[in-house]
Amino acid sequence: MENLIQPKKLFYTSCLALIVTAMTFAIRAKIMTMWGTDFKLTGEQVGLIAGTAFWGFTLAQIIGGPLIDIVGMRKILTLAFVGHLLGVAVTIFATSFWTLFLGTLLIGIANGSVEAACNPLVATIYSTQKTKMLNRFHMWFPGGNVIGGLIAYFMIDALHLSWQALMGVLLVPAIIYGALFLTQRFPQTERAASGISYKGMLKACIGPLFIFMVLCMFLTASTELGTSQWIEALLKQVGVSAILVFVFINFIMAIGRLFAGPVVHRLNPAGMLLFSAIFATLGLFWLSHASGYEAFAAAAVFAAGVCYFWPTMLGFVSEYIPETGALGLNIMGGAGMLSVAIILPFMGSWYDGNKAKALQQGADQVAAELQAGRDTMMTVIILPVILIVAFLVLFLKFRKKSKVALTQTQPAAQTL
């Protein structure tokens, strides 16, 4: 009997691949400062290494997006699997800045390939519930961060194992998702099944609304992921474990995305984005002033804000500009990761500068690191403030507009 497409199995395997992607972020957030010590790197150099993961992610999405309808989802996901295995291996055996750079780049390409294939896959198999199911799929990004963060805490802080051993943990779920994807069939993308031409997809991707959403994606991604990647340094001296604050943030985000359906029903995607920008601003401001266990309360507000940013940006584009297809989703993801690649070294430079300034003013090492983290967060807060204005305009325009549905003119069950 011919093997049929199994939407649920595809969805759950996609979630596992996203967990691996997220675990790389959590583990890197924990060991970035360790790289700085072991390889005698500056904050800016560490930021450049971390940033290359986002450059690789962007590269995979920009190249993979146009290729999804040509080579199929399976080949893109095979690239992800191979990239994860090679990237982890190169990182474990790294001896310098450049080998760390290469390993992180390979992992970034793998992560981008997962999203390049899985975002249009989820939008295709759940074409009538896109924002809800994209949020549920992306629940496993913070979920994977929780898993990776807890593993990092126990392996490094409790068991005092090496960061190389921690990186090796990634190989187990990577091998599992790779094996599962190789046994499954994949559908056509929704755009292809609806008969919209490749030229029509390209034209939709240069429309004013889409360009506006791409620009907003630069700011939403930088607010969420830029802060999370530097969290070990930003919250290093607040009096609680920074990696546990990171885990707490991602736990709140996972719960929020799991129950995104009722929020979408009440607010609509544009309303969700406005809500997110307001809470991200309030949370980041509070985090920049919090000490001790108060940091967890501030982190909860920040998490409630950034929780819906990424999947709802994708959901909005998929629901209101569906003719942009897989390319549109991948341009959005690529723009988000590109922005983080750009901001990470800047954040490292701001942190170094703020710390040096505090030391010059007579602060000791601990006080200087605390102040540097706070001042850096107060610089980053400019981004969600801009988003409040942008998303207010979007909400006023789209609060009463219905989402656009595509009509399939070809069967979606073609194997790719």
Side-chain angles (χ1 to χ4, degrees):
M1 180 176 172
E2 186 179 7
N3 189 27
L4 299 176
I5 291 172
Q6 302 177 53
K8 286 187 177 180
K9 190 173 180 181
L10 284 171
F11 179 75
Y12 293 136
T13 307
S14 297
C15 291
L16 178 57
L18 190 62
I19 287 172
V20 176
T21 294
M23 287 177 68
T24 69
F25 284 78
I27 289 171
R28 187 167 53 248
K30 177 62 180 175
I31 66 180
M32 276 169 57
T33 54
M34 300 174 73
W35 286 346
T37 301
D38 288 359
F39 296 95
K40 297 180 173 57
L41 305 174
T42 66
E44 186 172 3
Q45 286 177 311
V46 173
L48 285 169
I49 293 171
T52 197
F54 297 89
W55 285 109
F57 197 114
T58 302
L59 178 68
Q61 291 215 289
I62 296 301
I63 294 176
L67 291 178
I68 285 290
D69 293 312
I70 299 172
V71 304
M73 299 174 187
R74 183 193 301 277
K75 288 186 175 64
I76 301 297
L77 288 166
T78 300
L79 174 64
F81 171 60
V82 173
H84 275 135
L85 296 186
L86 289 178
V88 170
V90 171
T91 303
I92 288 173
F93 295 104
T95 57
S96 66
F97 170 89
W98 287 111
T99 43
L100 282 175
F101 187 94
L102 176 60
T104 307
L105 176 63
L106 290 170
I107 290 173
I109 291 172
N111 291 345
S113 298
V114 167
E115 291 233 9
C118 291
N119 283 325
L121 175 60
V122 172
T124 295
I125 59 181
Y126 296 106
S127 60
T128 61
Q129 306 175 76
K130 293 176 185 175
T131 297
K132 173 184 174 180
M133 294 310 294
L134 280 167
N135 265 282
R136 191 161 290 180
F137 166 56
H138 279 277
M139 157 196 165
W140 289 108
F141 188 83
N145 273 319
V146 170
I147 295 169
L150 288 174
I151 291 173
Y153 176 78
F154 285 112
M155 288 187 69
I156 302 296
D157 293 350
L159 300 179
H160 305 292
L161 298 176
S162 68
W163 62 261
Q164 289 92 340
L166 178 58
M167 284 296 300
V169 169
L170 292 167
L171 294 173
V172 177
I175 290 171
I176 294 173
Y177 91 71
L180 288 173
F181 270 138
L182 288 174
T183 64
Q184 296 182 64
R185 296 183 67 196
F186 292 83
Q188 285 183 310
T189 62
E190 181 190 28
R191 191 276 307 169
S194 300
I196 294 176
S197 68
Y198 204 87
K199 183 178 179 181
M201 179 174 69
L202 294 174
K203 184 178 179 181
C205 289
I206 59 173
L209 176 59
F210 183 75
I211 292 173
F212 172 81
M213 294 305 293
V214 169
L215 293 175
C216 289
M217 192 69 169
F218 271 85
L219 304 182
T220 59
S222 293
T223 302
E224 175 189 346
L225 296 175
T227 303
S228 69
Q229 283 295 277
W230 270 112
I231 200 161
E232 184 74 17
L234 296 177
L235 301 181
K236 187 175 182 180
Q237 302 297 349
V238 298
V240 292
S241 169
I243 195 64
L244 290 184
V245 175
F246 175 88
V247 167
F248 181 70
I249 287 172
N250 282 278
F251 176 76
I252 298 294
M253 290 175 65
I255 297 300
R257 289 179 181 180
L258 176 62
F259 296 103
V263 183
V264 173
H265 179 74
R266 183 174 294 273
L267 292 178
N268 82 30
M272 288 176 72
L273 291 170
L274 176 59
F275 164 92
S276 296
I278 293 170
F279 273 75
T281 301
L282 294 174
L284 202 53
F285 179 81
W286 193 0
L287 268 176
S288 69
H289 292 79
S291 296
Y293 288 102
E294 181 190 0
F296 285 97
V301 177
F302 177 71
V306 297
C307 168
Y308 298 117
F309 268 158
W310 190 280
T312 305
M313 292 291 287
L314 298 180
F316 182 93
V317 168
S318 191
E319 290 189 347
Y320 289 96
I321 330 172
E323 59 273 20
T324 57
L327 179 60
L329 290 176
N330 283 298
I331 289 175
M332 288 291 288
M337 289 301 174
L338 175 62
S339 71
V340 184
I342 292 170
I343 200 171
L344 283 178
F346 277 103
M347 289 182 69
S349 180
W350 296 336
Y351 181 85
D352 287 344
N354 291 330
K355 181 178 175 181
K357 181 180 177 182
L359 289 170
Q360 289 173 359
Q361 293 175 345
D364 60 22
Q365 185 75 11
V366 172
E369 290 176 349
L370 176 63
Q371 193 60 45
R374 290 179 168 179
D375 290 345
T376 302
M377 284 188 282
M378 285 304 294
T379 302
V380 176
I381 204 172
I382 296 170
L383 306 181
V385 169
I386 295 171
L387 286 169
I388 291 174
V389 178
F391 289 146
L392 177 59
V393 173
L394 192 72
F395 174 69
L396 293 175
K397 184 173 181 179
F398 283 88
R399 59 181 172 172
K400 294 183 180 178
K401 285 194 176 184
S402 300
K403 57 187 178 183
V404 179
L406 297 181
T407 302
Q408 289 193 355
T409 60
Q410 301 173 29
Q414 179 179 335
T415 302
L416 290 173

